[in-house]
Amino acid sequence: MAKLKTDLLVIGAGSGGLSVAAGAVQMGAKVVLLEDHKMGGDCLNYGCVPSKALIAAGKQAYALQHGAKFGVADVKPKIDYAAAKDHVASVIETIAPVDSEERFEGLGVNVIRERGRFINSNTVKAGDTEITARRIVVATGSSPFVPPIPGLDKVPYLTNESLWDLRDLPKHLLIVGGGPIGIEMAQAHRRLGSKVTVIEGDKAMGKDDPELAAIVLDQMRTEGIAIEEDAMAQEITGKAGAVTVKAEDGRVFKGSHLLMAVGRSANVNDLGLEEAGIEFDRRGIKVDASLRTSNKKVYAIGDVAGQLQFTHVAGYHAGVVIRSILFGLPSKAKQNHIPWATYTDPELAQVGLTEAQSKKEHGIYSEVYRFPYHENDRAIAEGKTTGLIKVMVVKGRPVGASIVGASAGDLIGFWALAIANNLKMSGIAGMVAPYPTLGEVNKRAAGAYFSPRLFESDKVKKVVGFVQRYLP
């Protein structure tokens, strides 16, 4: 049994683990990185990257069928689903070297391709190696949650992991789960030629602002996607090519393929967490504000930490723990400035509090300011006028922003910056956006905050009148 001692041991080579390992080794720490599956984790291989590549293929197919309003004749595209999957594979292959074992070994990280398991508070066994570390970061991510629906174990089904192996276009794709993964894949497959039914036990896109979510869902229904809400799956039967989902209220849905997209489970099993005195539950490893576990030598970041499950959150967590581990400085993770987006068409993005949350938390001090896409010149020029922005303001500072529309995922970063730095609306209104851009949507939303204060104020009008009469 080989034995190693190191400054930092990172378990998991997904987004968060790779960020910790790269940052720590380049600042002089000795780092060991464990990964028993694919470098790059879920995001590169099964999540963000492949899903956005397939969405891009769907957008291209949709655009070919909707060019008439621009003077470009509509055409029915010839879609090759296998070739679209080749595009997905090519995108992964292009990005993969950045996350590769070779790159990290080149940086000086000792990469061991084995599963790690704690054997005591600061030692992990990986294959035939025992690694003792001053500090350990658990970054094992999450996996698709598959609920124990009667009959599901006897029927072939897909998850966001196995979906990418499929080479033949599903004739009729049933998707159980109306969250971001289910909704994104529903629209992508519909645009590539599948018939699609989304089966959601509650409300589709239920964690988002309902007004904005309705705009996305209306577009999906317009495209021919069936969104079946309040349809809790009770039983699943069938075989390959013929699957049936029966809901508790008696509704029955039949399709050729089944995609389970009901959420994620933190990867906490078979890590020996009990041996290290690390507390955890079904949601993940329990951490404090500094992302430390009940074992003060061990941190948990990303999906496994039981907080927001986004790739960029894992990257943010990496920065938090590096500050603490390498420099011994106090460092805490916050969530109020973390944005997220669902990459449908139109996109939907959120940072901070929604309108309902702001009103509940701040009461009469919560104000909401809106601006519609159909009044933005760039949106008009490009025929992307469906959408709006809502900004929640408390005592002159934004506490949340919700955007639905073209490039919402890009536009939300502006408000994430504002909230992270506690900016006032006056500072935001001072920003000058180039014309014509969708970025003016943000500027105009900030302007909506000041319009009533300037144009509807008797006090302002009296001051202006005085100046005009008496100023030389």
Side-chain angles (χ1 to χ4, degrees):
M1 179 72 66
K3 295 189 177 183
L4 293 176
K5 287 189 176 182
T6 188
D7 297 322
L8 176 62
L9 170 63
V10 181
I11 305 175
S15 176
L18 292 176
S19 295
V20 171
V25 77
Q26 290 179 93
M27 285 188 276
K30 291 174 60 179
V31 180
V32 174
L33 173 64
L34 302 182
E35 176 55 61
D36 69 335
H37 194 36
K38 294 184 177 182
M39 297 289 289
D42 184 83
C43 177
L44 173 63
N45 298 289
Y46 310 115
C48 316
V49 172
S51 64
K52 302 314 165 282
L54 193 68
I55 286 169
K59 281 186 177 180
Q60 185 69 14
Y62 186 80
L64 290 171
Q65 300 173 75
H66 295 83
K69 63 183 179 182
F70 300 105
V72 180
D74 294 346
V75 296
K76 184 177 181 180
K78 182 179 180 181
I79 297 170
D80 185 336
Y81 186 72
K85 287 296 185 66
D86 289 340
H87 163 67
V88 171
S90 175
V91 171
I92 295 173
E93 184 180 358
T94 300
I95 298 173
V98 178
D99 295 346
S100 68
E101 180 178 345
E102 292 75 16
R103 175 173 179 258
F104 277 79
E105 287 181 334
L107 292 173
V109 177
N110 183 354
V111 181
I112 299 175
R113 302 301 295 274
E114 297 281 357
R115 183 172 185 80
R117 195 178 192 283
F118 285 92
I119 57 175
N120 60 45
S121 63
N122 67 339
T123 303
V124 172
K125 182 180 179 182
D128 58 0
T129 305
E130 287 185 4
I131 307 105
T132 301
R134 192 180 69 85
R135 292 289 184 268
I136 299 172
V137 175
V138 180
T140 50
S142 63
S143 299
F145 171 65
V146 180
I149 302 172
L152 182 58
D153 59 338
K154 300 179 178 65
V155 175
Y157 63 88
L158 302 163
T159 67
N160 78 294
E161 293 183 355
S162 56
L163 174 64
W164 310 111
D165 296 327
L166 191 64
R167 301 290 293 177
D168 295 320
L169 179 71
K171 183 178 180 181
H172 186 170
L173 180 62
L174 301 178
I175 301 177
V176 175
I181 295 173
I183 292 297
E184 286 182 355
M185 290 299 93
Q187 190 175 46
H189 280 83
R190 178 60 187 152
R191 290 181 166 189
L192 291 172
S194 294
K195 185 176 180 180
V196 179
T197 301
V198 176
I199 305 163
E200 167 58 45
D202 194 0
K203 300 299 179 186
M205 304 186 77
K207 294 183 178 180
D208 290 293
D209 180 294
E211 180 186 7
L212 275 61
I215 293 172
V216 175
L217 296 174
D218 285 347
Q219 174 61 31
M220 296 185 70
R221 291 185 174 103
T222 297
E223 294 183 23
I225 299 168
I227 310 290
E228 300 288 346
E229 298 179 302
D230 299 312
M232 184 65 68
Q234 181 184 59
E235 183 183 20
I236 298 177
T237 58
K239 58 184 180 180
V243 180
T244 299
V245 177
K246 182 179 179 181
E248 290 181 351
D249 62 4
R251 278 178 285 175
V252 175
F253 311 101
K254 296 179 180 291
S256 61
H257 293 72
L258 175 64
L259 172 63
M260 299 302 298
V262 295
R264 311 278 301 171
S265 295
N267 291 331
V268 295
N269 294 329
D270 196 31
L271 291 175
L273 298 176
E274 300 90 344
E275 301 296 327
I278 298 172
E279 296 180 5
F280 66 98
D281 57 24
R282 61 182 181 83
R283 292 172 296 181
I285 295 174
K286 296 181 180 180
V287 296
D288 62 16
S290 65
L291 300 173
R292 266 183 167 164
T293 71
S294 52
N295 177 341
K296 299 307 178 184
K297 295 180 181 293
V298 181
Y299 297 75
I301 66 173
D303 289 6
V304 78
Q307 300 182 15
L308 295 174
Q309 294 183 329
F310 302 110
T311 297
H312 50 282
V313 172
Y316 165 64
H317 282 177
V320 171
V321 300
I322 282 177
R323 178 182 172 89
S324 177
I325 292 170
L326 298 188
F327 300 104
L329 298 172
S331 185
K332 295 183 178 180
K334 301 185 297 180
Q335 290 198 150
N336 68 315
H337 67 303
I338 301 293
W340 65 87
T342 301
Y343 297 95
T344 45
D345 181 12
E347 294 180 358
L348 193 156
Q350 175 71 40
V351 65
L353 302 178
T354 63
E355 179 178 2
Q357 291 168 340
S358 182
K359 287 181 178 179
K360 181 178 180 180
E361 186 170 329
H362 298 286
I364 61 173
Y365 298 104
S366 176
E367 303 174 86
V368 180
Y369 296 92
R370 310 158 65 96
F371 185 77
Y373 269 58
H374 68 251
E375 293 183 20
N376 175 269
D377 292 355
R378 182 63 176 272
I380 294 170
E382 296 193 357
K384 298 177 180 178
T385 54
T386 299
L388 65 96
I389 178 173
K390 295 199 292 189
V391 180
M392 281 51 74
V393 182
V394 175
K395 297 181 180 179
R397 299 180 192 273
V399 296
S402 308
I403 308 176
V404 63
S407 300
D410 295 308
L411 296 174
I412 202 68
F414 177 89
W415 296 100
L417 174 68
I419 293 172
N421 291 280
N422 200 30
L423 298 183
K424 293 182 178 180
M425 291 299 285
S426 56
I428 295 169
M431 181 271 293
V432 178
Y435 175 86
T437 61
L438 291 174
E440 290 182 289
V441 168
N442 286 332
K443 169 76 172 178
R444 293 291 297 275
Y449 171 79
F450 286 101
S451 291
R453 289 165 170 78
L454 293 175
F455 305 138
E456 300 172 18
S457 169
D458 291 337
K459 183 178 179 180
V460 170
K461 291 177 181 178
K462 287 178 181 179
V463 170
V464 171
F466 178 84
V467 170
Q468 297 309 307
R469 285 196 301 272
Y470 298 109
L471 188 69

